[in-house]
Amino acid sequence: MHLPNTFRQISLRSMKPLTEQEIRAAFVNCSKGEAKRLSVPRDLADRPWDDLDFLGWRDPQAPDRAYLVTELDARPIAVALRCPGPASWQVRRSMCSMCLTAHTGGVSLMVAPKAGKARQQGNSVGDYICSDLACSLYVRGKKDAGAGSRPQESLTLEEKIQRTVANVAAFLAKVTA
């Protein structure tokens, strides 16, 4: 997989705590007005920043919207996501493409409008992601999705974190391409 230079600098450090203003300024696939109006979590100070590779949250006022923000090249980058309502097939076990955690009904197709001109043309990209956007916590064993949710692997925790960070970076590269 070839990623632009911007996305090659992947760090295993945890995220630094971000402010609401930093998060709103980091959105690449929505207008400044949309970023100003979107719902940012009120409990930013209470988030487990040391265990996060990215901050993800669902909009409590609009369940079909979600947001993801991470740091790439030491700068925050954020994307707005759309999450279609659950379909009947989602009661089956599905795997998150970011952290490789399997859930029964806990993975959603999340679609991001592409940035720039591609967004104006209506282009988007999607991926199957943990519905609660808690990939970082599943990888670290801080949150449990149930029996059989994590495949047996010989990778170290650091390598699993690196893979998750790389998967997030690859998704963001598609959004900004």
Side-chain angles (χ1 to χ4, degrees):
M1 166 181 5
H2 177 71
L3 295 176
N5 287 337
T6 306
F7 296 101
R8 288 194 187 146
Q9 296 283 342
I10 297 172
S11 169
L12 286 182
R13 296 185 332 250
S14 57
M15 284 189 67
K16 75 173 183 74
L18 297 172
T19 65
E20 180 178 339
Q21 185 178 15
E22 288 172 315
I23 292 170
R24 290 186 190 283
F27 278 91
V28 296
N29 68 340
C30 62
S31 71
K32 288 182 181 182
E34 290 169 322
K36 186 178 180 179
R37 292 185 299 273
L38 61 82
S39 173
V40 174
R42 300 202 187 285
D43 64 345
L44 290 174
D46 299 330
R47 296 289 172 134
W49 293 101
D50 289 340
D51 292 320
L52 296 181
D53 306 308
F54 67 88
L55 173 65
W57 71 96
R58 300 291 290 254
D59 188 332
Q61 267 60 53
D64 65 331
R65 292 178 189 229
Y67 308 98
L68 184 151
V69 61
T70 193
E71 291 175 330
L72 293 174
D73 290 341
R75 292 179 306 149
I77 180 172
V79 294
L81 303 162
R82 293 281 181 171
C83 318
S88 60
W89 66 267
Q90 286 182 316
V91 296
R92 294 188 299 181
R93 196 161 191 79
S94 302
M95 183 175 283
C96 173
S97 60
M98 300 293 168
C99 65
L100 304 185
T101 300
H103 300 267
T104 300
V107 174
S108 298
L109 173 62
M110 299 213 183
V111 179
K114 291 190 85 169
K117 282 192 182 268
R119 177 179 179 254
Q120 295 168 354
Q121 296 169 347
N123 295 333
S124 61
V125 295
D127 229 332
Y128 290 93
I129 304 173
C130 293
S131 298
D132 60 3
L133 296 152
C135 299
S136 301
L137 302 178
Y138 291 119
V139 168
R140 288 167 174 79
K142 306 272 180 169
K143 195 165 183 179
D144 185 17
S149 62
R150 299 284 312 155
Q152 287 291 92
E153 298 181 285
S154 60
L155 298 177
T156 66
L157 176 59
E158 185 174 294
E159 290 169 329
K160 292 174 188 177
I161 292 168
Q162 178 70 31
R163 178 182 57 207
T164 300
V165 169
N167 289 341
V168 172
F171 179 71
L172 293 174
K174 291 181 216 171
V175 172
T176 59

XYZ file of all heavy atoms in Angstrom, residues 90-168:
580
model
N -26.962 -6.998 9.835
C -25.985 -6.598 10.835
C -26.085 -7.374 12.145
O -25.278 -7.169 13.026
C -26.074 -5.098 11.106
C -25.488 -4.282 9.972
C -25.543 -2.810 10.256
O -26.539 -2.292 10.727
N -24.458 -2.125 9.968
N -27.062 -8.249 12.276
C -27.122 -9.071 13.474
C -26.096 -10.198 13.390
O -25.822 -10.857 14.367
C -28.544 -9.643 13.730
C -29.515 -8.525 14.002
C -28.999 -10.501 12.577
N -25.529 -10.391 12.199
C -24.460 -11.379 12.047
C -23.151 -10.794 12.531
O -22.992 -9.598 12.687
C -24.332 -11.796 10.580
C -25.557 -12.544 10.086
C -25.322 -13.100 8.734
N -25.054 -12.001 7.784
C -24.831 -12.172 6.512
N -24.816 -13.373 6.002
N -24.607 -11.156 5.728
N -22.216 -11.664 12.762
C -20.893 -11.255 13.225
C -20.139 -10.586 12.078
O -20.054 -11.116 10.982
C -20.156 -12.493 13.713
C -18.959 -12.194 14.557
C -18.611 -13.463 15.352
N -17.646 -13.222 16.365
C -17.910 -12.679 17.549
N -19.124 -12.324 17.837
N -16.960 -12.505 18.433
N -19.566 -9.411 12.355
C -18.792 -8.655 11.371
C -17.488 -8.219 12.013
O -17.394 -8.097 13.236
C -19.560 -7.417 10.910
O -20.801 -7.771 10.351
N -16.484 -7.926 11.168
C -15.177 -7.531 11.681
C -14.878 -6.092 11.276
O -15.086 -5.689 10.138
C -14.084 -8.444 11.143
C -12.706 -8.114 11.700
S -11.436 -9.276 11.187
C -11.791 -10.651 12.264
N -14.364 -5.332 12.229
C -13.925 -3.953 11.998
C -12.674 -3.972 11.127
O -11.733 -4.712 11.407
C -13.659 -3.272 13.338
S -12.913 -1.633 13.182
N -12.655 -3.154 10.106
C -11.487 -3.106 9.222
C -10.344 -2.275 9.812
O -9.238 -2.311 9.295
C -11.886 -2.551 7.858
O -12.392 -1.249 8.005
N -10.597 -1.570 10.893
C -9.540 -0.773 11.528
C -8.755 -1.600 12.551
O -7.546 -1.648 12.513
C -10.110 0.461 12.241
C -10.852 1.411 11.342
S -9.755 2.202 10.166
C -10.941 2.930 9.083
N -9.487 -2.222 13.497
C -8.809 -2.910 14.607
C -8.941 -4.435 14.554
O -8.363 -5.123 15.387
C -9.351 -2.399 15.936
S -11.090 -2.786 16.242
N -9.701 -4.951 13.594
C -9.922 -6.384 13.406
C -10.632 -7.036 14.599
O -10.397 -8.203 14.900
C -8.619 -7.121 13.084
C -7.852 -6.605 11.865
C -6.654 -7.488 11.577
C -8.733 -6.472 10.648
N -11.503 -6.286 15.252
C -12.341 -6.838 16.304
C -13.652 -7.284 15.666
O -14.243 -6.545 14.876
C -12.638 -5.780 17.393
O -11.393 -5.363 17.961
C -13.536 -6.321 18.474
N -14.099 -8.496 15.998
C -15.366 -9.009 15.481
C -16.471 -8.719 16.487
O -16.275 -8.854 17.692
C -15.248 -10.504 15.228
N -17.596 -8.301 15.993
C -18.757 -7.988 16.828
C -19.990 -8.634 16.219
O -20.070 -8.816 15.015
C -19.055 -6.485 16.841
C -17.981 -5.616 17.359
N -17.910 -5.227 18.667
C -16.946 -5.006 16.732
C -16.888 -4.411 18.833
N -16.279 -4.278 17.681
N -20.959 -8.918 17.048
C -22.277 -9.288 16.555
C -23.112 -8.022 16.603
O -23.467 -7.544 17.684
C -22.914 -10.392 17.409
O -22.058 -11.524 17.365
C -24.286 -10.773 16.887
N -23.356 -7.436 15.444
C -24.137 -6.205 15.367
C -23.389 -4.969 15.811
O -23.969 -3.906 15.926
N -22.089 -5.037 16.067
C -21.335 -3.895 16.574
C -20.383 -3.262 15.587
O -19.487 -2.527 15.962
N -20.568 -3.557 14.295
C -19.749 -2.963 13.247
C -20.693 -2.282 12.267
O -21.723 -2.844 11.903
C -18.892 -4.032 12.523
C -18.154 -3.457 11.331
C -17.914 -4.661 13.492
N -20.344 -1.058 11.872
C -21.187 -0.296 10.943
C -20.379 0.146 9.736
O -19.185 0.442 9.861
C -21.733 0.965 11.621
O -22.532 0.654 12.717
N -21.048 0.226 8.609
C -20.440 0.840 7.440
C -20.455 2.340 7.696
O -21.515 2.936 7.869
C -21.217 0.517 6.164
C -20.745 1.245 4.907
C -19.304 0.874 4.561
C -21.674 0.941 3.744
N -19.276 2.933 7.773
C -19.170 4.372 7.997
C -18.618 4.989 6.721
O -17.590 4.556 6.209
C -18.284 4.675 9.191
C -18.835 4.066 10.459
S -18.482 5.039 11.882
C -19.183 3.989 13.164
N -19.345 5.981 6.224
C -19.034 6.595 4.947
C -18.622 8.043 5.175
O -19.323 8.794 5.860
C -20.257 6.524 4.012
C -19.960 7.188 2.678
C -20.685 5.072 3.814
N -17.487 8.420 4.600
C -16.976 9.787 4.726
C -17.013 10.468 3.366
O -16.490 9.915 2.389
C -15.543 9.772 5.251
N -17.612 11.653 3.304
C -17.475 12.419 2.058
C -16.001 12.714 1.838
O -15.264 12.981 2.790
C -18.239 13.722 2.341
C -19.079 13.451 3.540
C -18.384 12.367 4.310
N -15.557 12.641 0.588
C -14.159 12.956 0.310
C -13.943 14.452 0.490
O -14.882 15.234 0.472
C -13.793 12.518 -1.104
C -13.769 10.988 -1.231
C -13.191 10.538 -2.520
C -11.689 10.498 -2.348
N -11.013 9.834 -3.444
N -12.705 14.845 0.678
C -12.356 16.246 0.869
C -12.222 16.948 -0.480
O -12.028 16.303 -1.512
C -11.047 16.345 1.647
N -12.319 18.277 -0.460
C -12.056 19.091 -1.640
C -13.069 18.954 -2.753
O -14.264 18.787 -2.523
N -12.570 19.028 -4.003
C -13.446 18.975 -5.174
C -14.230 17.670 -5.243
O -15.370 17.655 -5.695
C -12.631 19.149 -6.460
C -12.242 20.572 -6.748
C -11.716 20.673 -8.173
C -11.281 22.059 -8.491
N -12.319 22.868 -9.080
N -13.608 16.583 -4.814
C -14.290 15.284 -4.846
C -15.552 15.320 -3.982
O -16.554 14.708 -4.324
C -13.354 14.176 -4.383
N -15.513 16.041 -2.875
C -16.697 16.190 -2.010
C -17.791 16.946 -2.758
O -18.961 16.573 -2.695
C -16.336 16.931 -0.725
C -17.540 17.166 0.172
C -17.131 17.889 1.459
N -18.282 18.121 2.282
C -18.862 19.305 2.445
N -18.375 20.368 1.842
N -19.914 19.433 3.211
N -17.402 18.000 -3.458
C -18.376 18.795 -4.215
C -19.033 17.962 -5.305
O -20.173 18.223 -5.685
C -17.694 20.018 -4.820
C -17.190 20.992 -3.776
C -16.262 22.047 -4.353
O -15.889 22.002 -5.531
N -15.871 23.008 -3.522
N -18.334 16.951 -5.787
C -18.883 16.063 -6.816
C -19.689 14.923 -6.201
O -20.197 14.072 -6.913
C -17.755 15.507 -7.678
C -17.022 16.579 -8.453
C -15.749 16.059 -9.105
O -15.276 14.967 -8.804
N -15.194 16.851 -10.007
N -19.765 14.876 -4.864
C -20.545 13.847 -4.186
C -19.808 12.550 -3.941
O -20.418 11.543 -3.587
N -18.487 12.532 -4.096
C -17.709 11.315 -3.901
C -17.502 11.033 -2.411
O -17.361 11.953 -1.603
C -16.354 11.422 -4.593
C -16.498 11.513 -6.101
O -17.463 11.021 -6.681
N -15.555 12.164 -6.740
N -17.467 9.761 -2.080
C -17.267 9.354 -0.691
C -16.531 8.021 -0.653
O -16.405 7.346 -1.664
C -18.612 9.238 0.034
O -19.426 8.264 -0.595
N -16.030 7.692 0.530
C -15.396 6.398 0.764
C -15.967 5.839 2.052
O -16.392 6.579 2.932
C -13.855 6.493 0.852
C -13.249 6.914 -0.460
C -13.419 7.421 1.955
N -15.991 4.519 2.158
C -16.538 3.903 3.357
C -15.706 2.727 3.815
O -14.905 2.178 3.056
N -15.909 2.378 5.071
C -15.223 1.229 5.654
C -16.072 0.709 6.801
O -16.887 1.450 7.363
C -13.834 1.618 6.167
C -12.756 0.663 5.699
O -13.067 -0.522 5.456
O -11.596 1.098 5.585
N -15.875 -0.551 7.143
C -16.585 -1.144 8.278
C -15.763 -0.880 9.534
O -14.607 -1.287 9.618
C -16.817 -2.637 8.044
C -17.826 -2.866 6.957
C -17.433 -3.051 5.641
C -19.181 -2.836 7.244
C -18.363 -3.219 4.629
C -20.123 -3.006 6.239
C -19.715 -3.191 4.937
O -20.645 -3.349 3.943
N -16.374 -0.159 10.479
C -15.680 0.290 11.684
C -16.544 -0.056 12.896
O -17.775 -0.063 12.813
C -15.427 1.814 11.620
C -14.656 2.170 10.343
C -14.678 2.304 12.847
C -14.501 3.653 10.091
N -15.896 -0.289 14.038
C -16.635 -0.535 15.279
C -17.676 0.570 15.460
O -17.343 1.757 15.383
C -15.690 -0.544 16.485
S -14.518 -1.918 16.504
N -18.916 0.198 15.696
C -20.009 1.168 15.799
C -19.776 2.203 16.886
O -20.203 3.345 16.763
C -21.335 0.448 16.058
O -21.638 -0.401 14.987
N -19.091 1.810 17.958
C -18.836 2.752 19.051
C -17.500 3.481 18.890
O -17.116 4.284 19.741
C -18.887 2.050 20.403
C -17.859 0.937 20.547
O -17.048 0.719 19.619
O -17.871 0.274 21.597
N -16.785 3.227 17.791
C -15.512 3.861 17.471
C -14.487 3.715 18.600
O -13.643 4.580 18.814
C -15.720 5.341 17.123
C -16.562 5.543 15.860
C -17.305 6.857 15.924
C -15.691 5.480 14.631
N -14.524 2.598 19.306
C -13.616 2.341 20.435
C -12.499 1.375 20.042
O -11.990 0.633 20.883
C -14.396 1.814 21.627
N -12.081 1.402 18.794
C -11.054 0.478 18.296
C -9.811 0.459 19.182
O -9.282 -0.608 19.486
C -10.659 0.858 16.871
S -12.007 0.782 15.680
N -9.335 1.619 19.583
C -8.120 1.701 20.407
C -8.270 0.910 21.693
O -7.326 0.251 22.145
C -7.817 3.165 20.754
O -7.638 3.931 19.593
N -9.456 0.960 22.283
C -9.689 0.267 23.551
C -9.831 -1.237 23.346
O -9.393 -2.019 24.193
C -10.919 0.849 24.249
C -10.840 2.352 24.549
C -12.128 2.834 25.209
C -9.622 2.687 25.393
N -10.413 -1.652 22.224
C -10.513 -3.087 21.930
C -9.127 -3.683 21.703
O -8.813 -4.756 22.215
C -11.397 -3.348 20.707
C -12.852 -3.056 20.932
C -13.521 -2.099 20.186
C -13.586 -3.746 21.895
C -14.864 -1.828 20.388
C -14.928 -3.480 22.108
C -15.554 -2.521 21.355
O -16.889 -2.257 21.565
N -8.283 -2.978 20.940
C -6.936 -3.479 20.650
C -6.141 -3.661 21.934
O -5.421 -4.634 22.107
C -6.190 -2.530 19.678
C -4.715 -2.855 19.594
C -6.813 -2.607 18.300
N -6.284 -2.727 22.861
C -5.522 -2.758 24.112
C -6.149 -3.641 25.183
O -5.623 -3.776 26.273
C -5.379 -1.331 24.655
C -4.419 -0.491 23.854
C -4.554 0.986 24.224
N -3.538 1.796 23.572
C -3.595 2.192 22.309
N -4.607 1.834 21.545
N -2.632 2.925 21.797
N -7.316 -4.240 24.893
C -7.986 -5.088 25.870
C -8.676 -4.306 26.979
O -9.056 -4.871 27.998
N -8.868 -3.003 26.787
C -9.530 -2.157 27.784
C -11.045 -2.236 27.654
O -11.771 -1.825 28.548
C -9.101 -0.688 27.633
C -7.619 -0.464 27.647
C -7.120 -0.271 29.039
C -5.605 -0.033 29.004
N -5.082 0.400 30.233
N -11.499 -2.734 26.520
C -12.923 -2.924 26.266
C -13.078 -4.289 25.599
O -12.239 -4.674 24.781
C -13.451 -1.806 25.355
C -14.939 -1.710 25.322
C -15.403 -0.401 24.712
C -16.922 -0.369 24.801
N -17.458 0.859 24.261
N -14.125 -5.013 25.961
C -14.308 -6.383 25.481
C -15.562 -6.462 24.619
O -16.627 -6.012 25.029
C -14.432 -7.328 26.680
C -14.517 -8.790 26.279
O -14.167 -9.115 25.134
O -14.953 -9.595 27.119
N -15.423 -7.043 23.452
C -16.557 -7.226 22.551
C -17.155 -8.627 22.675
O -18.016 -9.009 21.898
C -16.138 -6.968 21.105
N -16.684 -9.402 23.647
C -17.233 -10.735 23.864
C -16.294 -11.827 23.400
O -15.244 -11.577 22.805
N -16.708 -13.058 23.675
C -15.893 -14.228 23.333
C -15.655 -14.285 21.827
O -16.561 -14.066 21.032
C -16.587 -15.490 23.803
N -14.422 -14.563 21.456
C -14.069 -14.719 20.044
C -13.997 -13.422 19.273
O -13.941 -13.437 18.049
N -13.984 -12.305 19.966
C -13.997 -11.021 19.263
C -12.630 -10.623 18.719
O -12.543 -9.866 17.769
C -14.526 -9.918 20.176
O -13.689 -9.768 21.301
N -11.571 -11.111 19.320
C -10.222 -10.797 18.872
C -9.567 -12.079 18.362
O -9.521 -13.072 19.080
C -9.370 -10.223 20.018
C -9.873 -8.947 20.628
C -9.638 -7.699 19.830
N -8.275 -7.624 19.370
C -7.905 -6.927 18.296
N -8.786 -6.273 17.605
N -6.656 -6.906 17.923
N -9.053 -12.072 17.139
C -8.398 -13.281 16.618
C -7.103 -13.571 17.381
O -6.460 -12.657 17.887
C -8.103 -12.920 15.157
C -8.095 -11.436 15.106
C -9.025 -10.963 16.196
N -6.773 -14.844 17.470
C -5.496 -15.232 18.072
C -4.399 -14.807 17.099
O -4.438 -15.162 15.925
C -5.438 -16.738 18.285
C -6.309 -17.223 19.430
C -5.755 -16.749 20.766
O -6.135 -15.697 21.249
N -4.854 -17.509 21.353
N -3.433 -14.053 17.591
C -2.352 -13.571 16.741
C -1.027 -13.662 17.486
O -1.002 -13.642 18.717
C -2.570 -12.103 16.364
C -3.825 -11.839 15.567
C -3.959 -10.372 15.214
O -4.308 -9.584 16.108
O -3.690 -10.029 14.045
N 0.040 -13.746 16.730
C 1.362 -13.752 17.345
C 1.951 -12.348 17.412
O 3.068 -12.162 17.891
C 2.297 -14.670 16.555
O 2.409 -14.212 15.224
N 1.207 -11.340 16.965
C 1.682 -9.960 17.007
C 1.741 -9.447 18.440
O 0.911 -9.809 19.282
C 0.749 -9.040 16.212
C 0.597 -9.304 14.717
C -0.411 -8.339 14.120
C 1.931 -9.186 14.011
N 2.681 -8.566 18.688
C 2.746 -7.911 19.995
C 1.659 -6.833 20.045
O 1.106 -6.438 19.005
C 4.118 -7.232 20.198
O 4.238 -6.163 19.244
C 5.258 -8.223 20.057
N 1.392 -6.344 21.244
C 0.424 -5.266 21.388
C 0.857 -4.059 20.564
O 0.038 -3.447 19.865
C 0.246 -4.881 22.859
C -0.676 -3.688 23.121
C -2.078 -3.944 22.578
C -0.716 -3.359 24.601
N 2.141 -3.743 20.604
C 2.648 -2.602 19.825
C 2.389 -2.794 18.332
O 2.008 -1.848 17.634
C 4.139 -2.426 20.097
C 4.715 -1.192 19.434
C 6.163 -0.951 19.840
O 6.393 -0.661 21.027
O 7.038 -1.061 18.959
N 2.579 -4.007 17.823
C 2.329 -4.282 16.398
C 0.845 -4.189 16.063
O 0.472 -3.705 14.985
C 2.869 -5.667 16.036
C 4.388 -5.738 16.040
C 4.915 -7.159 15.946
O 4.262 -8.103 16.444
O 6.021 -7.323 15.377
N -0.025 -4.608 16.965
C -1.468 -4.489 16.745
C -1.891 -3.024 16.719
O -2.715 -2.617 15.901
C -2.244 -5.241 17.832
C -2.092 -6.739 17.767
C -2.774 -7.399 18.952
C -2.470 -8.882 19.017
N -3.070 -9.522 20.190
N -1.301 -2.240 17.620
C -1.592 -0.801 17.647
C -1.109 -0.165 16.352
O -1.822 0.622 15.717
C -0.952 -0.133 18.882
C -1.641 -0.623 20.166
C -1.007 1.388 18.777
C -0.910 -0.253 21.452
N 0.100 -0.525 15.927
C 0.669 0.005 14.677
C -0.236 -0.321 13.492
O -0.470 0.529 12.638
C 2.071 -0.568 14.450
C 2.726 -0.124 13.163
C 3.115 1.333 13.147
O 3.429 1.898 14.181
N 3.086 1.948 11.999
N -0.756 -1.537 13.442
C -1.650 -1.936 12.341
C -2.923 -1.094 12.364
O -3.384 -0.626 11.316
C -1.981 -3.426 12.454
C -2.939 -3.889 11.366
C -3.311 -5.342 11.490
N -3.903 -5.619 12.792
C -3.862 -6.808 13.385
N -3.255 -7.823 12.813
N -4.437 -6.979 14.551
N -3.502 -0.893 13.550
C -4.715 -0.092 13.652
C -4.457 1.338 13.202
O -5.233 1.907 12.423
C -5.260 -0.116 15.103
O -5.548 -1.469 15.454
C -6.512 0.729 15.241
N -3.350 1.914 13.658
C -2.994 3.284 13.273
C -2.797 3.366 11.755
O -3.244 4.312 11.105
C -1.739 3.749 14.044
C -1.190 5.053 13.492
C -2.060 3.889 15.524
N -2.140 2.371 11.179
C -1.928 2.345 9.727
C -3.254 2.218 8.980
O -3.441 2.861 7.939
C -0.994 1.191 9.353
N -4.182 1.423 9.496
C -5.496 1.284 8.859
C -6.276 2.600 8.898
O -6.938 2.968 7.926
C -6.300 0.155 9.522
C -5.744 -1.217 9.198
O -4.994 -1.396 8.231
N -6.086 -2.193 10.011
N -6.203 3.298 10.024
C -6.861 4.606 10.132
C -6.220 5.593 9.155
O -6.915 6.313 8.449
C -6.815 5.134 11.589
C -7.314 6.578 11.660
C -7.641 4.249 12.502
